[in-house]
Amino acid sequence: MLIQRLRNYVWLIFLFSFVHAQDIHIIPEPVRLVAKNGKFNLSSSTQIVLAGGGNESNAAFLNQYLKQVYGFQLPIRKKQGAWKNVVVLNYDKMEGNTDPAAYRMEVDADKVYIGGHGNSGVFYAIQTLIQLLPVEKKSSLEIPAVEVMDYPRFAYRGMHLDVGRHMFPVDFIKKYIDYIALHKMNTFHWHLTEDQGWRIEIKKYPKLTSVGGYRNGTIVGRYPGTHNTGERYGGFYTQQEIKDVVAYAAKRHITVIPEIELPGHSSAAIAAYPELSCFPQEDTKRAKRSPWHGDTTGKHVQQTWGVFEDVFCPTEYTFKFIENVLDEVMALFPSEYIHIGGDECPKESWKRSAFCQQLMKEKGLKDEHELQSYFIQRVEKYINSKGRKIIGWDEILEGGLAPNATVMSWRGEKGGIAAAKENHQVIMTPGGWCYFDHSQKKNEDSVTIGGYTTVQKVYGYEPIPKELEGEQAKWVLGAQGNVWTEYMTNIRKVEYQIFPRMSALSEVLWSPKTKRNLPWFEQRLLKQFKRYDLWGANYSKAFFEPEKP
Ligand code: ACM
């Protein structure tokens, strides 16, 4: 009888913790989470205890979130005093795990205890804590008792944003960085220069922004466009704004990697400094099918999308220009990596340039692909001489890979596989899974670039291709969601395109492969949609309108 009663009791406890576990909907899924009995109530009387040093900005992030979403924040105190009604930010050595991003967390009736292996671990634990908070705005927030132990699978967990095609204010760039942080991602790839606009102030070349930062119009509708807005469009980020963004990101354990595109996608720079072209006297080649607004003579910033023939000419003038630009870029961005583009560089101009043909002869380069490789390798040498490394799109494999380059694989996984086999680091961004400019449903309400990449498809992405075996797999640093903004004219559209796919990618990158479970992810996503609502973020609801494949 007693045994029977005991059995029922154990069963009840089990059921209770199971029901409780159902309340816990964390994305990305932690490595280990055990639901306990009980709860902690977090309110404005709860204190943050800085038990381990250097956690001020981690505490500030939690307070900023609480203030923004729930309208209150917590007093902060140092170590002294009892651990009752507190959130403790501390450090714990994680057995067998040297990743500073690792953490453990315990929630009981008295406290939330966070022990990060390093400072970033504390920050990631705070992201988990945030996801344990209710999605209703209240003044007392019930948090289920849990034990969590967690660490990331991949070192590189990135999101990209193209600000060349359309530009977004600094406030939104910061919000985007917060979204990255809330997903335990750690890299913001800022695509700063394009055919349609140069967006970073360079003091030595003021025309890059005064001329290259603006276009006289923009096509309307899907390429080639029905008409042209006929309106001047543009802007740029000042060096002061960029410093501010980089510092803001650093406090969120996010590295900002700038991209300065070369040798292609450089029409805006050429509009500002025509000598960068092999044919400075020629008018800008316009896409014949797209409507143009304004002057057609001389060099101009492009008004439509695509790939353009007028690219950087590999002259000493150009290399000096690039070095001078990179000097200012590297002074602003402390990141180990500088992205130098390298994609979609048509070779027509180089083919018909007597200068290029002579240079190829002198350097023993057999074709224009080798000339591109020469171009990239010269830039790499300069960047390496300053103690930094380059990342380039997978076209940098053509004509010979620069010796220390990291390859960003976008035309599928082929480039990434080839680079890893040559013992080069790789970041995976294959179009079919990682391009968040793609449609999420077959009939989107507004124009997208096309494609069809559902949240489920992103969730199913595996960054380590099966072709990479054993040791070769370690060259894959991680993956990234790419956000090209031809058809994203405003912030709401950017949010619509990234959510919920970014949440899926965050789990691909953070959680153990063995934890990947689509039905469970879909269940957690329902709570995540409510979090987007709390953040005031727009998101695609295609998830609720399943389509036949
Ligand atoms: C790219 O999408 N052109 C890298």
Side-chain angles (χ1 to χ4, degrees), residues 393-401 407 414-416 418-419 422:
W393 299 108
D394 58 51
E395 285 93 330
I396 68 168
L397 279 149
E398 295 160 7
L401 197 45
V407 172
K414 245 185 12 270
E422 288 184 41

Side-chain angles (χ1 to χ4, degrees), residues 57-121:
S57 72
N58 288 334
F61 185 90
L62 176 59
N63 263 340
Q64 178 202 302
Y65 187 88
L66 291 171
K67 181 90 184 142
Q68 253 170 25
V69 174
Y70 301 100
F72 68 88
Q73 49 186 19
L74 312 182
I76 297 174
R77 70 165 158 91
K78 296 278 196 265
K79 210 167 182 167
Q80 300 78 17
W83 283 1
K84 206 157 173 57
N85 193 18
V86 288
V87 175
V88 180
L89 304 185
N90 203 2
Y91 299 107
D92 279 335
K93 215 169 153 53
M94 305 288 287
E95 286 308 317
N97 195 329
T98 54
D99 191 332
Y103 70 89
R104 67 183 195 88
M105 179 163 79
E106 279 176 35
V107 179
D108 60 31
D110 288 332
K111 64 187 176 304
V112 174
Y113 175 86
I114 285 171
H117 190 86
N119 196 260
S120 59

Side-chain angles (χ1 to χ4, degrees), residues 11 80-81 99 178 215 229 267 279 314 430 443 455 488 499:
W11 179 237
Q80 300 78 17
D99 191 332
D178 279 340
R215 56 183 184 253
T229 60
S267 304
F279 301 98
N443 288 305
V455 65
M488 299 179 210
F499 294 137

